Amino acid sequence: MIKKIDHVGIAVKDLQKAIEFYEGLLGLKVTDTEVVEEQKVKVAFLPTGDSEVELLESTTPDGPIARFIEKNGEGIQHIAFRVDNLEEKLAELKARGVRLIDEKPRRGAGGARIAFLHPRSTFGTLVELCERD
Ligand SMILES: C[C@@H](C(=O)O)C(=O)SCCNC(=O)CCNC(=O)[C@H](O)C(C)(C)COP(=O)(O)OP(=O)(O)OC[C@H]1O[C@@H](n2cnc3c(N)ncnc32)[C@H](O)[C@@H]1OP(=O)(O)O
Ligand SMILES: [Co+2]
């Protein structure tokens, strides 16, 4: 079952400059920053009520965030929904013909288990499913 929007992922070129805007001007607060090597990103989380903003800067010129910015410029790159049983949800979606980017959960920021659905199967939005303890 989908519990809520866990976070919205925003691709930025310069994490520090983006944080200056989101903290200094919007008034949100960064609670965590982390490098997730497997995704080639450095992320900052800024809670907003029950969901969070995830700012993402690429750590390499060839990662998914670098590629996204190259093609589209900075902006919303994915939406993440919290689920309570990721493996079960992935199996169900696969059985129904949804194109999975990740067949098995991967390790995301903050120790979450995450998996992405291909935007060609989701009406144009990159969807992340995530499960947290
Ligand atoms: C740390 C972690 C966490 O929260 O814990 C994260 O969030 S890591 C967040 C960063 N990690 C990820 O994004 C990992 C999953 N992403 C990927 O595997 C990739 O970025 C793909 C989504 C498969 C796109 O790869 P790539 O750019 O090589 O594919 P492509 O250029 O062939 O694009 C295929 C089609 O998808 C579209 N497309 C590509 N990226 C998109 C995006 N972010 N949102 C919506 N559509 C997108 C393209 O326009 C194209 O559409 P047309 O076919 O219509 O032209
Ligand atoms: Co994310």
Side-chain angles (χ1 to χ4, degrees):
M1 200 187 86
I2 302 280
K3 296 175 130 179
K4 63 172 185 174
I5 291 176
D6 187 89
H7 63 268
V8 174
I10 302 177
V12 300
K13 290 181 187 163
D14 185 328
L15 190 62
Q16 214 40 57
K17 285 213 173 99
I19 288 172
E20 280 167 29
F21 168 75
Y22 279 92
E23 283 200 324
L25 297 174
L26 277 191
L28 302 183
K29 288 278 167 287
V30 173
T31 52
D32 275 311
T33 60
E34 185 179 336
V35 172
V36 181
E37 293 289 354
E38 193 180 25
Q39 298 289 343
K40 301 178 176 171
V41 291
K42 184 172 179 195
V43 305
F45 280 98
L46 303 94
T48 58
D50 212 24
S51 302
E52 306 193 39
V53 169
E54 176 185 46
L55 299 175
L56 304 120
E57 178 189 299
S58 190
T59 54
T60 63
D62 64 334
I65 294 303
R67 282 182 56 92
F68 178 85
I69 291 175
E70 213 173 86
K71 281 192 181 170
N72 308 285
E74 295 172 297
I76 294 179
Q77 192 253 354
H78 67 270
I79 184 166
F81 295 106
R82 177 88 64 92
V83 296
D84 49 17
N85 190 331
L86 180 55
E87 300 225 358
E88 199 176 281
K89 195 73 198 165
L90 289 175
E92 178 194 326
L93 290 169
K94 187 178 177 184
R96 292 179 163 224
V98 173
R99 185 166 160 195
L100 308 180
I101 292 173
D102 303 302
E103 300 253 338
K104 292 248 157 19
R106 291 174 178 274
R107 183 62 47 173
R113 289 172 295 285
I114 65 171
F116 287 89
L117 312 181
H118 200 283
R120 279 186 191 143
S121 276
T122 62
F123 301 85
T125 297
L126 176 59
V127 171
E128 175 187 333
L129 300 178
C130 79
E131 184 185 353
R132 298 180 193 276
D133 292 328

